[in-house]
Structures are given as structure tokens and as C-alpha cells.
Amino acid sequence: METDADDAMDHLFEIAEQVMLDDFLEGSDPGLAVASERQITPSLIVYGQDAKCSVLTQERARTLAKNLHIRLKGLGGTEDGVIGAMAGLGLAYLKCDGRYLQKGIVRSILDSCTVERLFEAGVDEVCSLDGTQYTTGTVYFRPGKSPRFCPVCGRTVVFVKQEKDRLVDDKRD
């Protein structure tokens, strides 16, 4: 969202909170964090990277949110979701981690499609983890599942691997 205005950020937080509360599963620990670009600092980015390889605490997440004036709230369970919510902010900012839930019309593709169709649907690159790039061919996905597409340095990438004579989608962390 293109705004740093506090009232817009508050409104965004309220909407996201309501959507999450309406849709979360009992027993889960959802957390919500909303920040403006100016609040994404090196310490928040490092926090996100740390969360991928070590166990962090709610206290650290809440302290970081307080110091950076980031809106943060646990929405259920033990409220451990605040840890991941804060980590997600730092990791998403780099545009080089995680997976997209939706971009273009990529999620409408199920089972298999050509590399060219992936490009038309919003994917920027199809490649293997060893660096081989593909511009033609058919990619096969898990039955009934859409491609697992990832942000990598601001580009939307589908990772594939060669299995016999086929390209199949490959999972990235």
C-alpha cells in the first residue's frame, strides 16, 4: 500500500485483523504486524533472517515492534504468531524470501502448463536450483495444485527440476 499515513496504517491493521479473526483455525497462533517502509530497518531484516534458523521469543518480537513503532498483535492461542508476523515483515521487504500466495493469474494454473503460459500469467523466470533457465517446455505441478512461485530479488520465479524427460516444480525452502 502506498502510504505512511498513520490513519491509513491503522485502517489497514483493522481490516487485516478482522479478516484473520474471521478465518483462523482454532488451535493456531495467528499474529499480525503492519509497518510502513520507513519502519523496516536492518534490525528487523536481521530478526527475520534469524527466525529462519533459530528459535526466537515473543519478548524479542514485542520489544522490536515497540522500538520501531510497528503495530503488532497476537490474535489467538499462545500469541506466538507475533514472532512470525514480525519476521515476515523483514523477510518480505527484501523481496527474496518465502512464496507468493497470489500474483497475476498464476494460481489459476493447475496440474501442468507451458513455460510460455507461466510467463503470460505473471512469472518472470523459470529455472532450476542449479541455475538452468527455461524459456520453453511444459512444467508439471502437483495434481490439482498451482505452481509454487517465489519472490527472488524482486522477480517472480518458479523453480523446476528435470525428472527424466519432464520439468516438475521444485520446492524452495
Side-chain angles (χ1 to χ4, degrees), residues 16 55 80 83 103-104 112 126 132 137 139:
V55 177
D80 277 346
I83 298 166
K103 184 162 188 212
S112 66
V126 175
T132 304
V139 180

Side-chain angles (χ1 to χ4, degrees), residues 25-47:
L25 298 174
E26 203 58 47
S28 65
D29 294 322
L32 174 61
V34 174
S36 67
E37 188 170 7
R38 67 180 155 68
Q39 293 170 298
I40 309 297
T41 64
S43 57
L44 181 58
I45 292 168
V46 167
Y47 174 87

Side-chain angles (χ1 to χ4, degrees), residues 88-138:
L89 289 175
L91 294 171
Y93 181 77
L94 295 177
K95 297 179 182 168
C96 200
D97 202 279
R99 284 193 214 127
Y100 287 116
L101 293 178
Q102 177 66 23
K103 184 162 188 212
I105 60 167
V106 177
R107 286 190 59 104
S108 67
I109 298 170
L110 300 175
D111 297 326
S112 66
C113 77
T114 65
V115 171
E116 296 88 350
R117 172 114 163 72
L118 286 171
F119 294 150
E120 292 168 6
V123 170
D124 298 312
E125 190 171 325
V126 175
C127 65
S128 66
L129 292 172
D130 69 7
T132 304
Q133 293 190 353
Y134 297 92
T135 56
T136 61
T138 299

Side-chain angles (χ1 to χ4, degrees), residues 127-129 134 139 148 159-164 166-171:
C127 65
S128 66
L129 292 172
Y134 297 92
V139 180
R148 293 181 267 206
F159 288 98
V160 297
K161 60 185 171 188
Q162 188 87 38
E163 283 187 359
K164 298 180 183 170
R166 299 172 17 139
L167 294 175
V168 297
D169 85 308
D170 198 3
K171 184 177 179 183

